[in-house]
Amino acid sequence: MTMTTTLDRTTLDQLARGTHADPFAVLGRHDDGDGPYIRAVLPGAESVEAVDATSGAVVATLEELGDTGVFEGAVRGADPYRLKIRWPGGITQETADPYSFGLLLGELDLHLLGESRHFELASALGANVTSIDGVEGVRFAVWAPNAKRVAVVGDFNSWDRRRHPMRVRFPAGVWELFVPGLKAGERYKFAINGPDGAPLADKADPVAKSAESAPGTASVVAGPQTYSWTDEAWMQARAKKHEPDAPLSFYEVHLGSWLKDGRQVDWNFAIEKLVPYAAQMGFTHIELLPVAEHPFGGSWGYQPLGLFAPTGRYGPPDDFAKFVDAAHAAGVGVVVDWVPAHFPTDPHGLYRFDGTPLYEHADPREGFHTDWNTAIYNFGRREVQNFLIASGLHWLERFHVDGLRVDAVASMLYRDYSRKEGEWVPNHLGGRENLEAIGFLQHFNAVVRERVPGAITIAEESTAWPGVTRSTSEGGLGFHYKWNMGWMHDTLNYMEQNPIYRSYNHDGITFGLVYAFSEKFVLPLSHDEVVHGKGSLINKMPGDTWQKFANLRALYGLMWSHPGKKLLFMGGEIAQWREWNHDGQVDWPSIDDPAHVGVQRLVRDLNRIYAAEPALHRRDCEESGFHWVIGDDRANSVFAFRRLGNEGDPQVLVVANMTPVPRHEYRIGVPVAGRWSEIINTDSGIYGGSNVGNSGAVETAPVESHGEAQSLLLSLPPLAVIALRAG
């Protein structure tokens, strides 16, 4: 040592090695009784002085204690002071001392964190650009209650975990530090020593609002929100657009593989290309596969680690806000897929974050998905619930997102999901239900409904769990809508059958109506149906090329006329032949073929008619809005039903002929006499069909049929769906 110090050898050694757990007790300005001194840890510095913050006069010369990187010097008067540091290469840095600032998080923040009710979590934790006592910088805070020590590291300190150790705030278990002089754009992580003092791999910030693009794994300091929203009218009106009686048609998109066009795919590109396309096609919403930051692109976003950060792959957070605003200006809503079920075990992520199973269960029978090699959130831990709910609210409130589609809900609800006997732990009642996850989902949905009225939550839930869209006050999970996976499975299974065998699978179409009104459903033809060797939608269809296109058009005709909201994955609207590849793009050159253009035109017209005809959407979720006319014509594979809106709305008759044989003079009873206009015919020539139909309209005849006093004599085109409106 070159000078006398009041530090004992153990403390000095801990500071030098980066293991001291209470930096504010020894760093900064202190008085040991013989006068004030300043102490700093600055490994590699050539010299350190303290200068008066106002005059710049030197008030202390700090000398290194041996070769420890710890500098100390007696100070004469001035407070506040700044540190003037000379680094190798003639670089001089002048900065306020991080250890000259008092407590950072306020009592309200700590109270809400302690109660696990801090729903604006990103304003308290993470990295926030701020000013303290007139000094600009970044306040860092992270929840790591079992850590022995936490430091913030980044480019600003050469990723040296000795330089910026943080202060812990008990009992919240939150570590905090203000680093003067830092600005938005800085990369950073947290260097954590576990309960045993051993250093962990540097961790990305769980509440980072920005992150560097993969393969980088650092968090990035995000600046204050600067985007000026222009969507007030949309936000005021959107609640009505989301009601069960409204037409909802979702265009599901993986942005990175939608269209490349020889350009960088980013949010500005999406504004230019995707937004007008979705609007032109008549979709009410764009639904994005997860855009939260994720380390592995091949997960499509379904293994996220940055639940508060839009992925850096497509640009900065404000550009994402700009995209949402542009969609709203075009009359299109935005829904994002959100993944609160599980997370990957990358060493820089949430897994054993502070050296303990903090976010996940300790027991792998509860805390690990063998199917996906991911960790399962511990939904019974209040802080974890708070973290997840705050994440969902962040997307809805910060980015004006209109809804969250919650992924893998079934895996959350059941403790034995995809597990064999002996591989799971029953709940405290001895059952298979995950009571903690149920409580979390109910809590989440209740908070969303209270704080973000007008936004919607949608469950991807593949079982018969009762009450997914029932209110929480009635014991339900509280979602607004649920994906109807049963409809998807049964309908696709039916459509894949050769028409000659469809009479034996007639229930594939009719059975779904038994439960169609048990929940508020979305009918999904999603990305899951066109990956992993399942082939594209059109390649699922039987027959020769003409029949494949006719079958696909008929499938869409059934889907858009069936009760329930609609969802179609990109590429399906142009009958893409190829299975989806996340490294490629939609097969846009195929629309040079009239057959593909015809399918695209049909989807556009189905969206338009679905929105324009009240009978097709107003009572989507009510049994009284649907009436079977013919559900038992197995021999001919013909189905007919009526859709009804409110009183005074014209009824719509839908008839499907699922064989390649045209059926002329097919009589169907209807309750309204007079003219019935053909508003859709999937066999129309403009869609690539054979143009069999009813010349645009049919008049009823006073011939009794199907319990009605009058009837229509129709020509049913082959492998097609027609819809006729009364009046």
Side-chain angles (χ1 to χ4, degrees), residues 29-46:
R29 180 183 173 123
H30 293 273
D31 192 335
D32 65 356
D34 294 328
Y37 61 88
I38 294 172
R39 191 179 294 124
V41 179
L42 297 164
E46 292 184 343

Side-chain angles (χ1 to χ4, degrees), residues 281-294:
M281 288 295 295
F283 289 100
T284 63
H285 290 71
I286 296 167
E287 180 171 322
L288 297 167
L289 270 61
V291 293
E293 193 55 73
H294 50 282

Side-chain angles (χ1 to χ4, degrees), residues 689-706:
S690 59
N691 233 14
V692 173
N694 297 279
S695 302
V698 183
E699 294 285 339
T700 59
V703 178
E704 184 177 350
S705 185
H706 301 107

Side-chain angles (χ1 to χ4, degrees), residues 475-531:
L477 296 182
F479 285 93
H480 295 80
Y481 295 100
K482 170 185 171 175
W483 274 19
N484 192 336
M485 310 296 280
W487 171 90
M488 175 276 299
H489 178 271
D490 290 348
T491 301
L492 286 181
N493 181 64
Y494 178 89
M495 295 302 302
E496 290 171 11
Q497 303 292 324
N498 186 305
I500 199 171
Y501 300 118
R502 283 179 176 166
S503 62
Y504 304 107
N505 294 276
H506 202 71
D507 293 346
I509 299 300
T510 60
F511 179 68
L513 274 305
V514 173
Y515 60 85
F517 309 102
S518 61
E519 303 277 6
K520 298 179 180 67
F521 280 123
V522 174
L523 310 180
L525 292 177
S526 74
H527 67 280
D528 280 328
E529 311 320 314
V530 293
V531 289

